[in-house]
Amino acid sequence: MALRDLLRKLGFGSSEGGRDLGVRRDRPARPRSQEERTIRVDRGVEPFAGPPPPLVEDALLRPKPAPPYVPPPPPVVKPRTQAGRAAPAQADGGATQYFKVLPRADLVGVLVATAGPLKGQAFTVSDGETRIGREQCDITLPDPNKRISRYHAKIVHVDGAFVIEANPEVAARNPTVVNDQEIEAEALCDGDSIRLGDCTFKFRTI
């Protein structure tokens, strides 16, 4: 089959002027129906002309991550007493009691009477040596039954340490009892119990 016949068979030919143009004829334009919509392009908005805005150098940097949250440590609360008040003592029923004492510069401790005829009273312990007895002592404890000697015992405070010493002359007759044990000399700690005669005291440090 000749090439010309093949092109004519495929529709690439024209008999106009007796020459084959080698161009495929276009189809005639189809008239538009009324249902077809016409899309209009608004040309009133001019495209942006000009260079783009400059980039800020900080905007190119990746922000640093926030440090992890670390909660603050809880505050350390040290036991202390207010001016003019002794350290709290536990009553027999478990309630906290406060006893008012006179503030002094050398005040280092308090004896709080928790049982006996002096229950509810508080007596101050000074720095250095504090003598305890029925008469002419730093802490005078009235005792009509004379279960407490005139000079019964003393509390010594040196370099932050407390020691209670019984009067050896009366210890056999009127003993000094610390935490339910008769003593001659014993180190004292906050909260220790001291019994002299019929009176029981709670020792508190300041």
PDB file of all heavy atoms in Angstrom, residues 10 26 28 43 75 83 95-96 100 102-103 123 134 136 190 195:
ATOM      1  N   LEU A  10      -6.221   6.904   7.029  1.00  0.00           N
ATOM      2  CA  LEU A  10      -6.202   7.351   8.441  1.00  0.00           C
ATOM      3  C   LEU A  10      -6.792   8.725   8.621  1.00  0.00           C
ATOM      4  O   LEU A  10      -6.886   9.230   9.732  1.00  0.00           O
ATOM      5  CB  LEU A  10      -4.765   7.345   8.980  1.00  0.00           C
ATOM      6  CG  LEU A  10      -4.114   5.972   9.066  1.00  0.00           C
ATOM      7  CD1 LEU A  10      -2.649   6.113   9.529  1.00  0.00           C
ATOM      8  CD2 LEU A  10      -4.864   5.064  10.013  1.00  0.00           C
ATOM      9  N   ASP A  26      -9.853  19.729  11.342  1.00  0.00           N
ATOM     10  CA  ASP A  26     -10.457  19.977  12.655  1.00  0.00           C
ATOM     11  C   ASP A  26     -11.942  19.783  12.574  1.00  0.00           C
ATOM     12  O   ASP A  26     -12.581  20.031  11.548  1.00  0.00           O
ATOM     13  CB  ASP A  26     -10.148  21.395  13.139  1.00  0.00           C
ATOM     14  CG  ASP A  26      -8.661  21.586  13.344  1.00  0.00           C
ATOM     15  OD1 ASP A  26      -7.997  20.563  13.645  1.00  0.00           O
ATOM     16  OD2 ASP A  26      -8.185  22.745  13.228  1.00  0.00           O
ATOM     17  N   PRO A  28     -15.756  20.743  13.285  1.00  0.00           N
ATOM     18  CA  PRO A  28     -16.434  22.053  13.389  1.00  0.00           C
ATOM     19  C   PRO A  28     -16.807  22.340  14.833  1.00  0.00           C
ATOM     20  O   PRO A  28     -17.094  21.435  15.611  1.00  0.00           O
ATOM     21  CB  PRO A  28     -17.646  21.878  12.482  1.00  0.00           C
ATOM     22  CG  PRO A  28     -17.882  20.400  12.432  1.00  0.00           C
ATOM     23  CD  PRO A  28     -16.520  19.761  12.491  1.00  0.00           C
ATOM     24  N   ARG A  43     -10.074  40.497  36.130  1.00  0.00           N
ATOM     25  CA  ARG A  43      -8.734  41.012  35.823  1.00  0.00           C
ATOM     26  C   ARG A  43      -8.455  42.349  36.487  1.00  0.00           C
ATOM     27  O   ARG A  43      -7.478  43.004  36.181  1.00  0.00           O
ATOM     28  CB  ARG A  43      -8.565  41.159  34.303  1.00  0.00           C
ATOM     29  CG  ARG A  43      -8.708  39.844  33.538  1.00  0.00           C
ATOM     30  CD  ARG A  43      -8.535  40.051  32.066  1.00  0.00           C
ATOM     31  NE  ARG A  43      -8.664  38.802  31.330  1.00  0.00           N
ATOM     32  CZ  ARG A  43      -7.655  37.969  31.107  1.00  0.00           C
ATOM     33  NH1 ARG A  43      -6.454  38.265  31.564  1.00  0.00           N
ATOM     34  NH2 ARG A  43      -7.851  36.833  30.438  1.00  0.00           N
ATOM     35  N   PRO A  75      10.250  24.079 102.275  1.00  0.00           N
ATOM     36  CA  PRO A  75      10.996  24.836 103.286  1.00  0.00           C
ATOM     37  C   PRO A  75      11.239  23.999 104.525  1.00  0.00           C
ATOM     38  O   PRO A  75      10.415  23.164 104.913  1.00  0.00           O
ATOM     39  CB  PRO A  75      10.073  26.033 103.585  1.00  0.00           C
ATOM     40  CG  PRO A  75       8.705  25.543 103.222  1.00  0.00           C
ATOM     41  CD  PRO A  75       8.900  24.622 102.051  1.00  0.00           C
ATOM     42  N   ALA A  83       8.497  34.716 121.231  1.00  0.00           N
ATOM     43  CA  ALA A  83       9.024  35.483 122.357  1.00  0.00           C
ATOM     44  C   ALA A  83       7.993  35.486 123.468  1.00  0.00           C
ATOM     45  O   ALA A  83       6.816  35.809 123.256  1.00  0.00           O
ATOM     46  CB  ALA A  83       9.338  36.911 121.920  1.00  0.00           C
ATOM     47  N   ALA A  95      -3.645  17.052 123.872  1.00  0.00           N
ATOM     48  CA  ALA A  95      -3.744  18.410 123.337  1.00  0.00           C
ATOM     49  C   ALA A  95      -2.457  19.168 123.627  1.00  0.00           C
ATOM     50  O   ALA A  95      -1.773  18.926 124.618  1.00  0.00           O
ATOM     51  CB  ALA A  95      -4.939  19.133 123.955  1.00  0.00           C
ATOM     52  N   THR A  96      -2.108  20.102 122.763  1.00  0.00           N
ATOM     53  CA  THR A  96      -0.903  20.914 122.931  1.00  0.00           C
ATOM     54  C   THR A  96      -1.198  22.087 123.841  1.00  0.00           C
ATOM     55  O   THR A  96      -2.167  22.818 123.633  1.00  0.00           O
ATOM     56  CB  THR A  96      -0.396  21.423 121.579  1.00  0.00           C
ATOM     57  OG1 THR A  96      -0.143  20.300 120.744  1.00  0.00           O
ATOM     58  CG2 THR A  96       0.874  22.229 121.750  1.00  0.00           C
ATOM     59  N   LYS A 100       3.234  30.572 129.255  1.00  0.00           N
ATOM     60  CA  LYS A 100       3.920  31.845 129.074  1.00  0.00           C
ATOM     61  C   LYS A 100       5.039  31.988 130.095  1.00  0.00           C
ATOM     62  O   LYS A 100       4.853  31.762 131.294  1.00  0.00           O
ATOM     63  CB  LYS A 100       2.925  32.998 129.218  1.00  0.00           C
ATOM     64  CG  LYS A 100       3.512  34.354 128.874  1.00  0.00           C
ATOM     65  CD  LYS A 100       2.434  35.430 128.883  1.00  0.00           C
ATOM     66  CE  LYS A 100       3.018  36.769 128.468  1.00  0.00           C
ATOM     67  NZ  LYS A 100       1.975  37.823 128.466  1.00  0.00           N
ATOM     68  N   LEU A 102       8.720  34.509 130.991  1.00  0.00           N
ATOM     69  CA  LEU A 102       9.342  35.801 130.721  1.00  0.00           C
ATOM     70  C   LEU A 102      10.545  35.607 129.807  1.00  0.00           C
ATOM     71  O   LEU A 102      11.403  34.753 130.069  1.00  0.00           O
ATOM     72  CB  LEU A 102       9.778  36.464 132.035  1.00  0.00           C
ATOM     73  CG  LEU A 102       8.643  36.820 133.004  1.00  0.00           C
ATOM     74  CD1 LEU A 102       9.213  37.393 134.296  1.00  0.00           C
ATOM     75  CD2 LEU A 102       7.680  37.809 132.361  1.00  0.00           C
ATOM     76  N   PRO A 103      10.641  36.393 128.707  1.00  0.00           N
ATOM     77  CA  PRO A 103      11.801  36.250 127.808  1.00  0.00           C
ATOM     78  C   PRO A 103      13.074  36.771 128.455  1.00  0.00           C
ATOM     79  O   PRO A 103      13.094  37.834 129.059  1.00  0.00           O
ATOM     80  CB  PRO A 103      11.387  37.101 126.597  1.00  0.00           C
ATOM     81  CG  PRO A 103      10.420  38.100 127.141  1.00  0.00           C
ATOM     82  CD  PRO A 103       9.690  37.420 128.259  1.00  0.00           C
ATOM     83  N   PHE A 123       8.733  26.800 134.427  1.00  0.00           N
ATOM     84  CA  PHE A 123       9.899  27.386 135.086  1.00  0.00           C
ATOM     85  C   PHE A 123      11.048  27.412 134.076  1.00  0.00           C
ATOM     86  O   PHE A 123      11.272  26.442 133.354  1.00  0.00           O
ATOM     87  CB  PHE A 123      10.288  26.571 136.327  1.00  0.00           C
ATOM     88  CG  PHE A 123       9.156  26.396 137.313  1.00  0.00           C
ATOM     89  CD1 PHE A 123       8.290  25.314 137.199  1.00  0.00           C
ATOM     90  CD2 PHE A 123       8.967  27.321 138.328  1.00  0.00           C
ATOM     91  CE1 PHE A 123       7.257  25.152 138.105  1.00  0.00           C
ATOM     92  CE2 PHE A 123       7.929  27.156 139.239  1.00  0.00           C
ATOM     93  CZ  PHE A 123       7.062  26.072 139.120  1.00  0.00           C
ATOM     94  N   ARG A 134      13.558  23.598 147.119  1.00  0.00           N
ATOM     95  CA  ARG A 134      12.404  24.176 147.813  1.00  0.00           C
ATOM     96  C   ARG A 134      12.671  25.589 148.306  1.00  0.00           C
ATOM     97  O   ARG A 134      11.757  26.397 148.414  1.00  0.00           O
ATOM     98  CB  ARG A 134      12.031  23.252 148.986  1.00  0.00           C
ATOM     99  CG  ARG A 134      10.709  23.559 149.623  1.00  0.00           C
ATOM    100  CD  ARG A 134      10.359  22.548 150.711  1.00  0.00           C
ATOM    101  NE  ARG A 134      11.164  22.721 151.916  1.00  0.00           N
ATOM    102  CZ  ARG A 134      12.030  21.809 152.361  1.00  0.00           C
ATOM    103  NH1 ARG A 134      12.198  20.677 151.698  1.00  0.00           N
ATOM    104  NH2 ARG A 134      12.720  22.012 153.479  1.00  0.00           N
ATOM    105  N   GLN A 136      15.603  29.073 148.222  1.00  0.00           N
ATOM    106  CA  GLN A 136      16.811  29.798 147.822  1.00  0.00           C
ATOM    107  C   GLN A 136      17.531  29.129 146.641  1.00  0.00           C
ATOM    108  O   GLN A 136      18.744  28.905 146.678  1.00  0.00           O
ATOM    109  CB  GLN A 136      17.768  29.947 149.013  1.00  0.00           C
ATOM    110  CG  GLN A 136      17.180  30.732 150.165  1.00  0.00           C
ATOM    111  CD  GLN A 136      18.135  30.835 151.338  1.00  0.00           C
ATOM    112  OE1 GLN A 136      19.202  30.223 151.365  1.00  0.00           O
ATOM    113  NE2 GLN A 136      17.767  31.649 152.339  1.00  0.00           N
ATOM    114  N   ASP A 190      15.458  17.054 124.844  1.00  0.00           N
ATOM    115  CA  ASP A 190      14.150  17.692 124.733  1.00  0.00           C
ATOM    116  C   ASP A 190      13.049  16.634 124.844  1.00  0.00           C
ATOM    117  O   ASP A 190      13.073  15.615 124.148  1.00  0.00           O
ATOM    118  CB  ASP A 190      14.036  18.419 123.390  1.00  0.00           C
ATOM    119  CG  ASP A 190      12.718  19.166 123.265  1.00  0.00           C
ATOM    120  OD1 ASP A 190      12.506  20.130 124.012  1.00  0.00           O
ATOM    121  OD2 ASP A 190      11.906  18.766 122.404  1.00  0.00           O
ATOM    122  N   ARG A 195      11.044  13.887 137.543  1.00  0.00           N
ATOM    123  CA  ARG A 195      10.173  13.869 138.722  1.00  0.00           C
ATOM    124  C   ARG A 195      10.972  14.237 139.955  1.00  0.00           C
ATOM    125  O   ARG A 195      11.992  13.614 140.265  1.00  0.00           O
ATOM    126  CB  ARG A 195       9.516  12.498 138.893  1.00  0.00           C
ATOM    127  CG  ARG A 195       8.454  12.509 140.009  1.00  0.00           C
ATOM    128  CD  ARG A 195       7.638  11.234 140.034  1.00  0.00           C
ATOM    129  NE  ARG A 195       8.356  10.131 140.666  1.00  0.00           N
ATOM    130  CZ  ARG A 195       8.731   9.027 140.028  1.00  0.00           C
ATOM    131  NH1 ARG A 195       8.471   8.877 138.738  1.00  0.00           N
ATOM    132  NH2 ARG A 195       9.386   8.075 140.680  1.00  0.00           N
TER     133      ARG A 195
END
